Amino acid sequence: MSNLDQIAKLAGFSKATVSRVLNQSPHVSHETRTKILKIMQEMDYVPNRNAISLSKGQTLQIGIITSTINEIVLAFLDSFVEIAGQYSFQTIIYTSGEDKKKELQAFEDLKRKRIDALVIISCVNDTDLLSTYCKYGPIVSWQRMEHTAIRSVAMDQYEGYMLALQHLIQKGYTRIANAFGRPSSINTQSRQRAYEHIMSEHNLPILQHWNHSSIYNIRDGEQVVRDLLQRRDEFPEAILCANDYVAVGILCEARRQSLSVPEDLAIIGFDNTELAHTMGITTVQNPIMGQAQNAFFMLSPQLIGRQMELHSLEYSLIERTTT
Amino acid sequence: MSNLDQIAKLAGFSKATVSRVLNQSPHVSHETRTKILKIMQEMDYVPNRNAISLSKGQTLQIGIITSTINEIVLAFLDSFVEIAGQYSFQTIIYTSGEDKKKELQAFEDLKRKRIDALVIISCVNDTDLLSTYCKYGPIVSWQRMEHTAIRSVAMDQYEGYMLALQHLIQKGYTRIANAFGRPSSINTQSRQRAYEHIMSEHNLPILQHWNHSSIYNIRDGEQVVRDLLQRRDEFPEAILCANDYVAVGILCEARRQSLSVPEDLAIIGFDNTELAHTMGITTVQNPIMGQAQNAFFMLSPQLIGRQMELHSLEYSLIERTTT
């Protein structure tokens, strides 16, 4: 009788349920999980992942490829390193600086079995080229991918942005500006669609100089406020931000310019970072940790021989003091 | 005549000066640098680093080992990736989660020539063991090292902390609290020494519950304010923080608790991040970019066959609105 069978028998649950607990599936009740974990602890049960890996010739290293390391990718990186570590895998982060050749190094390392799997945070090479590497090991992406060979854990930001827009409109704001990120990204395009849909649905005005693009960080956010103040008679009532850092920059600069928030300008961030929490910024909770865990779970059949249930993820609006 | 000789001749400077420009030494005037760079551009001069590297059997990859990826190490990582990229090297970041075995993977990769050099951000293995890997390739550390075999780019935080303390005392603050980081780190110990020296020198009080340890992030900072408010009659006039994130948490929580900053509580951060800038937090400018560049410069003799002049780095106090 295997250890798993014994645990199932002692706990009075099926082997599938025990397996679900091991795989951290959300579809197990808290009580069941606690009971099974207690029995595992009593039995001193440790899933012998190293043994599995050695027999498969694995390196126990997973690569992540990213063009840069910044605050935005930090939450994903951190969560992925954590979940991979729980399964005895080390995460190695390749930086490319958007250099195609450096980016390919990570894919070549997958080919040469220097790493067991690869996670894409951002890439600049042609997706058709990158997908030819799928035969060497599992690849998943946080970036939205156009190629079906590489699965993505990305969520459609249309939904998240729509939550923020609906919140503003319910509160009676009608003059709504945007601080968008990279214009070419699928995420930005989804946000733009949500904005255009809702504004036209409610017959609300869209002024061209309310739409800012390539806004990424605190300094960019500060500049947006100064730019908007150039046309004081056409000043918006609210602004949606590419991320919480941009929202922090806008909030601090607005206060320096003697604007009251939310009376003169309402602000909504994106991601729900610790900064949005401490500064009381209304934001969209982006389940980045869940996406990072899903990335590992998608790799798991090939890494640890187990199919793992993906988290079902949703955005939610966190209302604070800036709206 | 080599390309370098030609450039020197055309520019009217010595070959050493041209070399200094190539090596981004700060000891070249702006005018000289501009003139030499212009000539290089006219000559279409590109230092052929790839050619050098291939002949040496290099991988053009530099490893960085860190226990975690967080906001504090981000600035160093980012600057190192940038400077290494300028010299055609890709940076690969190994995460260890403070696991000794995973940490050693990075050192083993140096031994197996999978990487050309290694930079330590944080490590938990015995320094004597780690220094045995120096024979396989150059190793430098951001973390302060007790072993002389591994050079460190770290600065003595005693100096930086002293600047902040002197600033407070000059402003008339006498009841000064601390939110220190990791108690066992050499940095924290240096800060503690600075605090004890200056307080005893000025015969100022040190209350035990003013000294908080293991304070790392925004949430920790918020908690410090709530803890200090437990003894309102012994509330400090000022607090020095482990880093700017802690200062942000303290500032936001102080305001929520209806404390005026700096009237009821003065706050000084550390590092001078973008957050301290936008929120107007007085802080200590920590030249992290310079330290990251120095890390690359220390590796450069073995990586690119060039001795590079290290930046001479100093802390400075950035006075803003929280003191």
mmCIF file of all heavy atoms in Angstrom, chain A residues 244-289:
data_model
loop_
_atom_site.group_PDB
_atom_site.id
_atom_site.type_symbol
_atom_site.label_atom_id
_atom_site.label_comp_id
_atom_site.label_asym_id
_atom_site.label_seq_id
_atom_site.Cartn_x
_atom_site.Cartn_y
_atom_site.Cartn_z
ATOM 1 N N ASP A 244 -0.521 50.793 -9.850
ATOM 2 C CA ASP A 244 -0.585 51.543 -8.595
ATOM 3 C C ASP A 244 0.542 52.572 -8.463
ATOM 4 O O ASP A 244 0.386 53.590 -7.797
ATOM 5 C CB ASP A 244 -0.534 50.583 -7.396
ATOM 6 C CG ASP A 244 -1.828 49.784 -7.223
ATOM 7 O OD1 ASP A 244 -2.873 50.235 -7.729
ATOM 8 O OD2 ASP A 244 -1.779 48.726 -6.580
ATOM 9 N N TYR A 245 1.705 52.292 -9.064
ATOM 10 C CA TYR A 245 2.819 53.242 -8.964
ATOM 11 C C TYR A 245 2.473 54.550 -9.661
ATOM 12 O O TYR A 245 2.748 55.632 -9.159
ATOM 13 C CB TYR A 245 4.112 52.636 -9.533
ATOM 14 C CG TYR A 245 4.616 51.526 -8.663
ATOM 15 C CD1 TYR A 245 4.180 50.223 -8.834
ATOM 16 C CD2 TYR A 245 5.508 51.785 -7.625
ATOM 17 C CE1 TYR A 245 4.618 49.206 -8.005
ATOM 18 C CE2 TYR A 245 5.953 50.778 -6.793
ATOM 19 C CZ TYR A 245 5.505 49.485 -6.987
ATOM 20 O OH TYR A 245 5.928 48.495 -6.156
ATOM 21 N N VAL A 246 1.866 54.424 -10.830
ATOM 22 C CA VAL A 246 1.412 55.614 -11.550
ATOM 23 C C VAL A 246 0.392 56.368 -10.683
ATOM 24 O O VAL A 246 0.442 57.601 -10.570
ATOM 25 C CB VAL A 246 0.788 55.208 -12.906
ATOM 26 C CG1 VAL A 246 0.077 56.389 -13.553
ATOM 27 C CG2 VAL A 246 1.853 54.646 -13.841
ATOM 28 N N ALA A 247 -0.518 55.614 -10.040
ATOM 29 C CA ALA A 247 -1.536 56.232 -9.187
ATOM 30 C C ALA A 247 -0.890 56.990 -8.026
ATOM 31 O O ALA A 247 -1.329 58.086 -7.663
ATOM 32 C CB ALA A 247 -2.503 55.167 -8.664
ATOM 33 N N VAL A 248 0.178 56.437 -7.453
ATOM 34 C CA VAL A 248 0.897 57.109 -6.361
ATOM 35 C C VAL A 248 1.473 58.433 -6.862
ATOM 36 O O VAL A 248 1.343 59.471 -6.202
ATOM 37 C CB VAL A 248 2.025 56.202 -5.799
ATOM 38 C CG1 VAL A 248 2.981 56.993 -4.906
ATOM 39 C CG2 VAL A 248 1.429 55.023 -5.040
ATOM 40 N N GLY A 249 2.096 58.418 -8.028
ATOM 41 C CA GLY A 249 2.667 59.638 -8.603
ATOM 42 C C GLY A 249 1.596 60.691 -8.845
ATOM 43 O O GLY A 249 1.782 61.873 -8.549
ATOM 44 N N ILE A 250 0.455 60.261 -9.372
ATOM 45 C CA ILE A 250 -0.642 61.191 -9.650
ATOM 46 C C ILE A 250 -1.200 61.759 -8.344
ATOM 47 O O ILE A 250 -1.421 62.972 -8.220
ATOM 48 C CB ILE A 250 -1.748 60.483 -10.474
ATOM 49 C CG1 ILE A 250 -1.231 60.234 -11.903
ATOM 50 C CG2 ILE A 250 -3.048 61.291 -10.486
ATOM 51 C CD1 ILE A 250 -2.216 59.552 -12.834
ATOM 52 N N LEU A 251 -1.393 60.897 -7.357
ATOM 53 C CA LEU A 251 -1.934 61.340 -6.066
ATOM 54 C C LEU A 251 -1.012 62.370 -5.401
ATOM 55 O O LEU A 251 -1.461 63.434 -4.952
ATOM 56 C CB LEU A 251 -2.130 60.117 -5.150
ATOM 57 C CG LEU A 251 -2.574 60.388 -3.714
ATOM 58 C CD1 LEU A 251 -3.904 61.125 -3.665
ATOM 59 C CD2 LEU A 251 -2.688 59.065 -2.935
ATOM 60 N N CYS A 252 0.286 62.072 -5.358
ATOM 61 C CA CYS A 252 1.224 62.976 -4.677
ATOM 62 C C CYS A 252 1.349 64.303 -5.425
ATOM 63 O O CYS A 252 1.391 65.368 -4.811
ATOM 64 C CB CYS A 252 2.592 62.305 -4.525
ATOM 65 S SG CYS A 252 2.567 60.942 -3.339
ATOM 66 N N GLU A 253 1.408 64.244 -6.762
ATOM 67 C CA GLU A 253 1.538 65.474 -7.531
ATOM 68 C C GLU A 253 0.246 66.300 -7.439
ATOM 69 O O GLU A 253 0.296 67.532 -7.349
ATOM 70 C CB GLU A 253 1.880 65.167 -8.997
ATOM 71 C CG GLU A 253 2.143 66.395 -9.855
ATOM 72 C CD GLU A 253 3.354 67.217 -9.417
ATOM 73 O OE1 GLU A 253 4.246 66.668 -8.732
ATOM 74 O OE2 GLU A 253 3.395 68.419 -9.742
ATOM 75 N N ALA A 254 -0.909 65.629 -7.444
ATOM 76 C CA ALA A 254 -2.192 66.341 -7.331
ATOM 77 C C ALA A 254 -2.214 67.133 -6.027
ATOM 78 O O ALA A 254 -2.584 68.313 -6.005
ATOM 79 C CB ALA A 254 -3.352 65.350 -7.382
ATOM 80 N N ARG A 255 -1.770 66.508 -4.937
ATOM 81 C CA ARG A 255 -1.754 67.197 -3.642
ATOM 82 C C ARG A 255 -0.795 68.381 -3.671
ATOM 83 O O ARG A 255 -1.091 69.444 -3.129
ATOM 84 C CB ARG A 255 -1.368 66.217 -2.527
ATOM 85 C CG ARG A 255 -2.506 65.267 -2.198
ATOM 86 C CD ARG A 255 -2.127 64.315 -1.077
ATOM 87 N NE ARG A 255 -3.240 63.444 -0.724
ATOM 88 C CZ ARG A 255 -3.104 62.246 -0.156
ATOM 89 N NH1 ARG A 255 -1.894 61.781 0.134
ATOM 90 N NH2 ARG A 255 -4.157 61.516 0.132
ATOM 91 N N ARG A 256 0.376 68.175 -4.294
ATOM 92 C CA ARG A 256 1.342 69.287 -4.404
ATOM 93 C C ARG A 256 0.750 70.440 -5.194
ATOM 94 O O ARG A 256 1.062 71.602 -4.946
ATOM 95 C CB ARG A 256 2.623 68.809 -5.099
ATOM 96 C CG ARG A 256 3.751 68.443 -4.147
ATOM 97 C CD ARG A 256 5.071 68.221 -4.882
ATOM 98 N NE ARG A 256 5.035 67.062 -5.758
ATOM 99 C CZ ARG A 256 5.249 65.817 -5.356
ATOM 100 N NH1 ARG A 256 5.515 65.563 -4.085
ATOM 101 N NH2 ARG A 256 5.186 64.802 -6.201
ATOM 102 N N GLN A 257 -0.115 70.129 -6.158
ATOM 103 C CA GLN A 257 -0.741 71.164 -6.993
ATOM 104 C C GLN A 257 -2.032 71.673 -6.349
ATOM 105 O O GLN A 257 -2.868 72.286 -7.030
ATOM 106 C CB GLN A 257 -1.040 70.603 -8.387
ATOM 107 C CG GLN A 257 0.180 70.091 -9.144
ATOM 108 C CD GLN A 257 1.034 71.198 -9.726
ATOM 109 O OE1 GLN A 257 0.631 72.359 -9.728
ATOM 110 N NE2 GLN A 257 2.224 70.857 -10.192
ATOM 111 N N SER A 258 -2.212 71.371 -5.059
ATOM 112 C CA SER A 258 -3.379 71.833 -4.289
ATOM 113 C C SER A 258 -4.716 71.343 -4.845
ATOM 114 O O SER A 258 -5.734 72.020 -4.707
ATOM 115 C CB SER A 258 -3.396 73.363 -4.188
ATOM 116 O OG SER A 258 -2.175 73.810 -3.666
ATOM 117 N N LEU A 259 -4.702 70.176 -5.469
ATOM 118 C CA LEU A 259 -5.952 69.556 -5.895
ATOM 119 C C LEU A 259 -6.420 68.640 -4.767
ATOM 120 O O LEU A 259 -5.603 67.954 -4.158
ATOM 121 C CB LEU A 259 -5.742 68.713 -7.156
ATOM 122 C CG LEU A 259 -5.357 69.450 -8.442
ATOM 123 C CD1 LEU A 259 -4.893 68.459 -9.506
ATOM 124 C CD2 LEU A 259 -6.544 70.267 -8.961
ATOM 125 N N SER A 260 -7.732 68.634 -4.483
ATOM 126 C CA SER A 260 -8.253 67.701 -3.492
ATOM 127 C C SER A 260 -8.604 66.391 -4.180
ATOM 128 O O SER A 260 -9.192 66.397 -5.252
ATOM 129 C CB SER A 260 -9.523 68.265 -2.845
ATOM 130 O OG SER A 260 -9.204 69.374 -2.063
ATOM 131 N N VAL A 261 -8.225 65.301 -3.519
ATOM 132 C CA VAL A 261 -8.564 63.960 -4.020
ATOM 133 C C VAL A 261 -9.538 63.341 -3.023
ATOM 134 O O VAL A 261 -9.247 63.325 -1.831
ATOM 135 C CB VAL A 261 -7.288 63.095 -4.147
ATOM 136 C CG1 VAL A 261 -7.638 61.674 -4.579
ATOM 137 C CG2 VAL A 261 -6.303 63.732 -5.129
ATOM 138 N N PRO A 262 -10.743 62.903 -3.412
ATOM 139 C CA PRO A 262 -11.226 62.753 -4.780
ATOM 140 C C PRO A 262 -12.061 63.929 -5.295
ATOM 141 O O PRO A 262 -12.532 63.858 -6.420
ATOM 142 C CB PRO A 262 -12.120 61.515 -4.668
ATOM 143 C CG PRO A 262 -12.719 61.613 -3.301
ATOM 144 C CD PRO A 262 -11.669 62.271 -2.450
ATOM 145 N N GLU A 263 -12.206 65.014 -4.504
ATOM 146 C CA GLU A 263 -13.135 66.087 -4.907
ATOM 147 C C GLU A 263 -12.759 66.696 -6.257
ATOM 148 O O GLU A 263 -13.616 66.843 -7.137
ATOM 149 C CB GLU A 263 -13.192 67.184 -3.830
ATOM 150 C CG GLU A 263 -13.805 66.724 -2.502
ATOM 151 C CD GLU A 263 -12.867 65.879 -1.653
ATOM 152 O OE1 GLU A 263 -11.657 65.774 -2.015
ATOM 153 O OE2 GLU A 263 -13.313 65.296 -0.649
ATOM 154 N N ASP A 264 -11.481 67.071 -6.427
ATOM 155 C CA ASP A 264 -11.057 67.666 -7.704
ATOM 156 C C ASP A 264 -10.652 66.595 -8.722
ATOM 157 O O ASP A 264 -10.771 66.795 -9.929
ATOM 158 C CB ASP A 264 -9.857 68.602 -7.484
ATOM 159 C CG ASP A 264 -10.219 69.759 -6.571
ATOM 160 O OD1 ASP A 264 -11.383 70.203 -6.630
ATOM 161 O OD2 ASP A 264 -9.350 70.194 -5.796
ATOM 162 N N LEU A 265 -10.127 65.501 -8.228
ATOM 163 C CA LEU A 265 -9.683 64.418 -9.115
ATOM 164 C C LEU A 265 -9.771 63.096 -8.369
ATOM 165 O O LEU A 265 -9.141 62.925 -7.321
ATOM 166 C CB LEU A 265 -8.229 64.658 -9.574
ATOM 167 C CG LEU A 265 -7.667 63.627 -10.566
ATOM 168 C CD1 LEU A 265 -8.373 63.702 -11.925
ATOM 169 C CD2 LEU A 265 -6.158 63.809 -10.747
ATOM 170 N N ALA A 266 -10.575 62.173 -8.903
ATOM 171 C CA ALA A 266 -10.629 60.815 -8.352
ATOM 172 C C ALA A 266 -9.563 59.978 -9.054
ATOM 173 O O ALA A 266 -9.249 60.216 -10.220
ATOM 174 C CB ALA A 266 -12.008 60.207 -8.576
ATOM 175 N N ILE A 267 -8.977 59.028 -8.324
ATOM 176 C CA ILE A 267 -7.865 58.233 -8.873
ATOM 177 C C ILE A 267 -8.122 56.750 -8.605
ATOM 178 O O ILE A 267 -8.459 56.367 -7.481
ATOM 179 C CB ILE A 267 -6.521 58.646 -8.221
ATOM 180 C CG1 ILE A 267 -6.253 60.141 -8.435
ATOM 181 C CG2 ILE A 267 -5.369 57.800 -8.766
ATOM 182 C CD1 ILE A 267 -5.117 60.695 -7.571
ATOM 183 N N ILE A 268 -7.940 55.920 -9.637
ATOM 184 C CA ILE A 268 -8.003 54.467 -9.447
ATOM 185 C C ILE A 268 -6.712 53.841 -9.972
ATOM 186 O O ILE A 268 -6.297 54.108 -11.105
ATOM 187 C CB ILE A 268 -9.206 53.834 -10.174
ATOM 188 C CG1 ILE A 268 -10.526 54.467 -9.687
ATOM 189 C CG2 ILE A 268 -9.245 52.318 -9.931
ATOM 190 C CD1 ILE A 268 -11.776 53.741 -10.155
ATOM 191 N N GLY A 269 -6.083 53.039 -9.144
ATOM 192 C CA GLY A 269 -4.870 52.325 -9.545
ATOM 193 C C GLY A 269 -5.200 50.979 -10.167
ATOM 194 O O GLY A 269 -6.336 50.721 -10.555
ATOM 195 N N PHE A 270 -4.196 50.131 -10.272
ATOM 196 C CA PHE A 270 -4.397 48.787 -10.800
ATOM 197 C C PHE A 270 -3.358 47.871 -10.165
ATOM 198 O O PHE A 270 -2.186 48.239 -10.081
ATOM 199 C CB PHE A 270 -4.229 48.773 -12.327
ATOM 200 C CG PHE A 270 -5.004 47.659 -13.010
ATOM 201 C CD1 PHE A 270 -6.272 47.890 -13.537
ATOM 202 C CD2 PHE A 270 -4.486 46.365 -13.100
ATOM 203 C CE1 PHE A 270 -6.995 46.869 -14.156
ATOM 204 C CE2 PHE A 270 -5.201 45.339 -13.713
ATOM 205 C CZ PHE A 270 -6.459 45.593 -14.248
ATOM 206 N N ASP A 271 -3.769 46.724 -9.691
ATOM 207 C CA ASP A 271 -2.949 45.628 -9.133
ATOM 208 C C ASP A 271 -3.215 45.374 -7.652
ATOM 209 O O ASP A 271 -3.098 44.267 -7.182
ATOM 210 C CB ASP A 271 -1.433 45.830 -9.334
ATOM 211 C CG ASP A 271 -1.024 45.684 -10.798
ATOM 212 O OD1 ASP A 271 -1.757 45.019 -11.541
ATOM 213 O OD2 ASP A 271 0.010 46.245 -11.196
ATOM 214 N N ASN A 272 -3.552 46.439 -6.901
ATOM 215 C CA ASN A 272 -3.712 46.331 -5.443
ATOM 216 C C ASN A 272 -2.429 45.909 -4.753
ATOM 217 O O ASN A 272 -2.349 44.861 -4.110
ATOM 218 C CB ASN A 272 -4.868 45.388 -5.067
ATOM 219 C CG ASN A 272 -5.239 45.538 -3.589
ATOM 220 O OD1 ASN A 272 -5.026 46.593 -2.993
ATOM 221 N ND2 ASN A 272 -5.777 44.484 -3.001
ATOM 222 N N THR A 273 -1.423 46.741 -4.867
ATOM 223 C CA THR A 273 -0.155 46.525 -4.174
ATOM 224 C C THR A 273 -0.245 47.042 -2.743
ATOM 225 O O THR A 273 -1.223 47.685 -2.366
ATOM 226 C CB THR A 273 0.972 47.304 -4.881
ATOM 227 O OG1 THR A 273 0.584 48.691 -4.878
ATOM 228 C CG2 THR A 273 1.168 46.853 -6.309
ATOM 229 N N GLU A 274 0.803 46.799 -1.972
ATOM 230 C CA GLU A 274 0.880 47.302 -0.603
ATOM 231 C C GLU A 274 0.815 48.830 -0.568
ATOM 232 O O GLU A 274 0.322 49.423 0.382
ATOM 233 C CB GLU A 274 2.187 46.825 0.046
ATOM 234 C CG GLU A 274 2.205 45.357 0.365
ATOM 235 C CD GLU A 274 1.207 45.000 1.457
ATOM 236 O OE1 GLU A 274 1.508 45.201 2.634
ATOM 237 O OE2 GLU A 274 0.109 44.522 1.094
ATOM 238 N N LEU A 275 1.345 49.463 -1.607
ATOM 239 C CA LEU A 275 1.321 50.920 -1.681
ATOM 240 C C LEU A 275 -0.100 51.453 -1.757
ATOM 241 O O LEU A 275 -0.451 52.431 -1.096
ATOM 242 C CB LEU A 275 2.062 51.386 -2.934
ATOM 243 C CG LEU A 275 3.535 51.663 -2.789
ATOM 244 C CD1 LEU A 275 4.106 52.047 -4.136
ATOM 245 C CD2 LEU A 275 3.770 52.760 -1.761
ATOM 246 N N ALA A 276 -0.942 50.809 -2.592
ATOM 247 C CA ALA A 276 -2.334 51.246 -2.732
ATOM 248 C C ALA A 276 -3.034 51.080 -1.384
ATOM 249 O O ALA A 276 -3.812 51.944 -0.969
ATOM 250 C CB ALA A 276 -3.041 50.440 -3.810
ATOM 251 N N HIS A 277 -2.725 49.994 -0.701
ATOM 252 C CA HIS A 277 -3.298 49.768 0.633
ATOM 253 C C HIS A 277 -2.919 50.895 1.586
ATOM 254 O O HIS A 277 -3.769 51.537 2.182
ATOM 255 C CB HIS A 277 -2.840 48.405 1.171
ATOM 256 C CG HIS A 277 -2.618 48.371 2.636
ATOM 257 N ND1 HIS A 277 -3.656 48.303 3.546
ATOM 258 C CD2 HIS A 277 -1.483 48.457 3.373
ATOM 259 C CE1 HIS A 277 -3.160 48.337 4.769
ATOM 260 N NE2 HIS A 277 -1.854 48.423 4.690
ATOM 261 N N THR A 278 -1.621 51.157 1.727
ATOM 262 C CA THR A 278 -1.198 52.106 2.768
ATOM 263 C C THR A 278 -1.597 53.540 2.429
ATOM 264 O O THR A 278 -1.878 54.341 3.315
ATOM 265 C CB THR A 278 0.312 52.003 3.078
ATOM 266 O OG1 THR A 278 0.547 52.550 4.398
ATOM 267 C CG2 THR A 278 1.188 52.734 2.074
ATOM 268 N N MET A 279 -1.667 53.870 1.128
ATOM 269 C CA MET A 279 -2.012 55.239 0.750
ATOM 270 C C MET A 279 -3.510 55.416 0.527
ATOM 271 O O MET A 279 -3.957 56.497 0.158
ATOM 272 C CB MET A 279 -1.212 55.658 -0.485
ATOM 273 C CG MET A 279 0.277 55.687 -0.184
ATOM 274 S SD MET A 279 1.239 56.437 -1.511
ATOM 275 C CE MET A 279 0.640 58.127 -1.439
ATOM 276 N N GLY A 280 -4.278 54.348 0.735
ATOM 277 C CA GLY A 280 -5.730 54.464 0.608
ATOM 278 C C GLY A 280 -6.198 54.709 -0.814
ATOM 279 O O GLY A 280 -7.160 55.445 -1.041
ATOM 280 N N ILE A 281 -5.524 54.110 -1.787
ATOM 281 C CA ILE A 281 -5.881 54.317 -3.196
ATOM 282 C C ILE A 281 -6.876 53.238 -3.657
ATOM 283 O O ILE A 281 -6.612 52.043 -3.509
ATOM 284 C CB ILE A 281 -4.615 54.285 -4.089
ATOM 285 C CG1 ILE A 281 -3.674 55.433 -3.709
ATOM 286 C CG2 ILE A 281 -4.992 54.348 -5.574
ATOM 287 C CD1 ILE A 281 -2.318 55.391 -4.381
ATOM 288 N N THR A 282 -8.000 53.654 -4.195
ATOM 289 C CA THR A 282 -8.947 52.725 -4.812
ATOM 290 C C THR A 282 -8.239 52.047 -5.982
ATOM 291 O O THR A 282 -7.544 52.704 -6.760
ATOM 292 C CB THR A 282 -10.184 53.481 -5.330
ATOM 293 O OG1 THR A 282 -10.857 54.059 -4.204
ATOM 294 C CG2 THR A 282 -11.141 52.542 -6.059
ATOM 295 N N THR A 283 -8.396 50.729 -6.086
ATOM 296 C CA THR A 283 -7.639 50.017 -7.117
ATOM 297 C C THR A 283 -8.360 48.748 -7.530
ATOM 298 O O THR A 283 -9.380 48.386 -6.944
ATOM 299 C CB THR A 283 -6.210 49.710 -6.599
ATOM 300 O OG1 THR A 283 -5.403 49.219 -7.668
ATOM 301 C CG2 THR A 283 -6.231 48.679 -5.483
ATOM 302 N N VAL A 284 -7.823 48.101 -8.559
ATOM 303 C CA VAL A 284 -8.374 46.828 -9.010
ATOM 304 C C VAL A 284 -7.458 45.718 -8.499
ATOM 305 O O VAL A 284 -6.258 45.727 -8.783
ATOM 306 C CB VAL A 284 -8.460 46.783 -10.556
ATOM 307 C CG1 VAL A 284 -8.965 45.420 -11.014
ATOM 308 C CG2 VAL A 284 -9.362 47.893 -11.068
ATOM 309 N N GLN A 285 -8.037 44.817 -7.722
ATOM 310 C CA GLN A 285 -7.259 43.687 -7.213
ATOM 311 C C GLN A 285 -6.963 42.757 -8.388
ATOM 312 O O GLN A 285 -7.860 42.213 -9.015
ATOM 313 C CB GLN A 285 -8.078 42.979 -6.125
ATOM 314 C CG GLN A 285 -7.797 41.501 -5.912
ATOM 315 C CD GLN A 285 -6.429 41.240 -5.308
ATOM 316 O OE1 GLN A 285 -5.781 42.149 -4.794
ATOM 317 N NE2 GLN A 285 -5.968 40.015 -5.387
ATOM 318 N N ASN A 286 -5.682 42.610 -8.683
ATOM 319 C CA ASN A 286 -5.228 41.769 -9.782
ATOM 320 C C ASN A 286 -4.596 40.526 -9.169
ATOM 321 O O ASN A 286 -3.571 40.638 -8.506
ATOM 322 C CB ASN A 286 -4.201 42.563 -10.604
ATOM 323 C CG ASN A 286 -3.753 41.848 -11.854
ATOM 324 O OD1 ASN A 286 -4.254 40.778 -12.181
ATOM 325 N ND2 ASN A 286 -2.802 42.435 -12.550
ATOM 326 N N PRO A 287 -5.186 39.345 -9.343
ATOM 327 C CA PRO A 287 -4.655 38.156 -8.657
ATOM 328 C C PRO A 287 -3.363 37.644 -9.292
ATOM 329 O O PRO A 287 -3.337 36.596 -9.923
ATOM 330 C CB PRO A 287 -5.794 37.144 -8.756
ATOM 331 C CG PRO A 287 -6.627 37.578 -9.904
ATOM 332 C CD PRO A 287 -6.388 39.040 -10.137
ATOM 333 N N ILE A 288 -2.293 38.410 -9.104
ATOM 334 C CA ILE A 288 -1.005 38.067 -9.725
ATOM 335 C C ILE A 288 -0.428 36.791 -9.120
ATOM 336 O O ILE A 288 0.124 35.950 -9.818
ATOM 337 C CB ILE A 288 -0.014 39.254 -9.598
ATOM 338 C CG1 ILE A 288 -0.534 40.435 -10.425
ATOM 339 C CG2 ILE A 288 1.372 38.859 -10.068
ATOM 340 C CD1 ILE A 288 0.324 41.680 -10.355
ATOM 341 N N MET A 289 -0.600 36.638 -7.796
ATOM 342 C CA MET A 289 -0.092 35.427 -7.154
ATOM 343 C C MET A 289 -0.763 34.193 -7.758
ATOM 344 O O MET A 289 -0.096 33.195 -8.050
ATOM 345 C CB MET A 289 -0.346 35.464 -5.646
ATOM 346 C CG MET A 289 0.309 34.304 -4.927
ATOM 347 S SD MET A 289 -0.356 34.030 -3.266
ATOM 348 C CE MET A 289 0.535 35.265 -2.364
#
